[in-house]
Amino acid sequence: MTTAPAPQPRPPTAEWTGAAVDYDSWFDKRWGHHALAVESAAVLRAAGAVADRRVLDAGCGTGRFSAPLVIGDATVVGVDPDHDMLAMARYRLPAGCARAVVEHLPFPADSFDLTVAVTVLEVVTDPALAVAELARVTGDGGRIVIGALNPHSPWGLANRRRLRAGVWCHARFLSPGALRTLGAPHGESAVHGALYAPGAFPGLTAVGPLLECAGRLAPRWGAFQVLIIDKHPHR
Ligand SMILES: C[S@@+](CC[C@H](N)C(=O)[O-])C[C@H]1O[C@@H](n2cnc3c(N)ncnc32)[C@H](O)[C@@H]1O
């Protein structure tokens, strides 16, 4: 089932202009709103129990995916190298944000129970190093959840142009197989699909949830892929 995302604190966007504001405001458009609801729900499902956990959202952007993880006593920290993205994320993350890249996280080993990175592996130069670093800061028995876009989905094919511009201009998209390969050295890995609508259309609110149910029969058509890695204990 797709549920509407909980209302999020709204950064005062009048204070900024530019790429971070453009990126953030996309989630307020009809398709962005639907995508955020479906993708956030997929991330939360993959995350499992979050309350009381120490959570890292690496490459948190403006905090759109971090905020729904603030459940109960969970401590959710966001990191991102982009100053403007972080400034907006601070409004959504009471526990705090830090400026950092996912390949070199400023935390000791085993600092988190859950680490999340949504549409970040696409923009880093070395995805394997990024996943290894997420695994380093994730404690034994912890979980790593990675969200990634699928350009071969109906939505991806319909948005080929958009996926070559803006934040995606240097992106490299990863197939489900490539995601599984990235996860394998660090634990039990599985890839799930979500977001089966090809884009906004009249009736999306009513039909979207049905598409999410039907889409589970063909997960590789999901525009959003979720890699779950249940981390091996240290050997
Ligand atoms: C497509 S946005 C995703 C943001 C957020 N996770 C979301 O889904 O809304 C990619 C983000 O990755 C950040 N980023 C770029 N290079 C990074 C790196 N090496 N380590 C961590 N984050 C990075 C960008 O600043 C941007 O905020």
Side-chain angles (χ1 to χ4, degrees):
M1 265 304 279
T2 310
T3 48
Q8 299 190 352
R10 198 155 278 282
T13 43
E15 283 180 17
W16 298 288
T17 54
V21 172
D22 291 347
Y23 182 76
D24 193 69
S25 61
W26 180 81
F27 291 108
D28 295 325
K29 296 182 178 152
R30 195 145 71 104
W31 174 248
H33 186 79
H34 177 75
L36 178 63
V38 171
E39 293 174 1
S40 270
V43 168
L44 282 171
R45 258 194 321 274
V50 174
D52 304 330
R53 301 292 161 100
R54 301 165 300 163
V55 182
L56 172 70
D57 185 6
C60 63
T62 60
R64 288 282 192 167
F65 287 85
S66 333
L69 293 163
V70 182
I71 297 172
D73 290 329
T75 311
V76 184
V77 172
V79 299
D80 200 284
D82 186 286
H83 179 273
D84 292 341
M85 293 275 197
L86 265 189
M88 295 181 79
R90 284 201 174 94
Y91 283 85
R92 298 186 169 122
L93 281 177
C97 299
R99 194 153 179 220
V101 292
V102 62
E103 302 92 326
H104 303 284
L105 292 167
F107 307 105
D110 303 347
S111 293
F112 299 97
D113 306 304
L114 170 69
T115 50
V116 173
V118 178
T119 57
V120 173
L121 291 193
E122 289 89 337
V123 299
V124 301
T125 23
D126 188 344
L129 175 61
V131 178
E133 186 63 348
L134 289 171
R136 182 186 69 77
V137 301
T138 306
D140 282 355
R143 182 169 279 189
I144 302 160
V145 173
I146 290 170
L149 294 180
N150 177 6
H152 305 298
S153 62
W155 173 83
L157 294 171
N159 285 274
R160 274 188 299 264
R161 275 234 207 108
R162 182 170 174 261
L163 292 179
R164 287 197 292 264
V167 285
W168 308 116
C169 62
H170 300 301
R172 277 171 303 127
F173 297 98
L174 298 159
S175 67
L179 285 170
R180 242 176 256 116
T181 302
L182 284 169
H186 306 290
E188 290 300 316
S189 301
V191 177
H192 299 267
L195 196 57
Y196 296 95
F201 56 85
L204 175 63
T205 312
V207 179
L210 300 177
L211 288 174
E212 291 312 305
C213 292
R216 285 184 200 148
L217 300 173
R220 72 197 166 87
W221 285 1
F224 190 63
Q225 311 171 85
V226 183
L227 168 66
I228 302 174
I229 308 167
D230 280 323
K231 203 189 147 189
H232 287 314
H234 284 314
R235 283 171 246 193

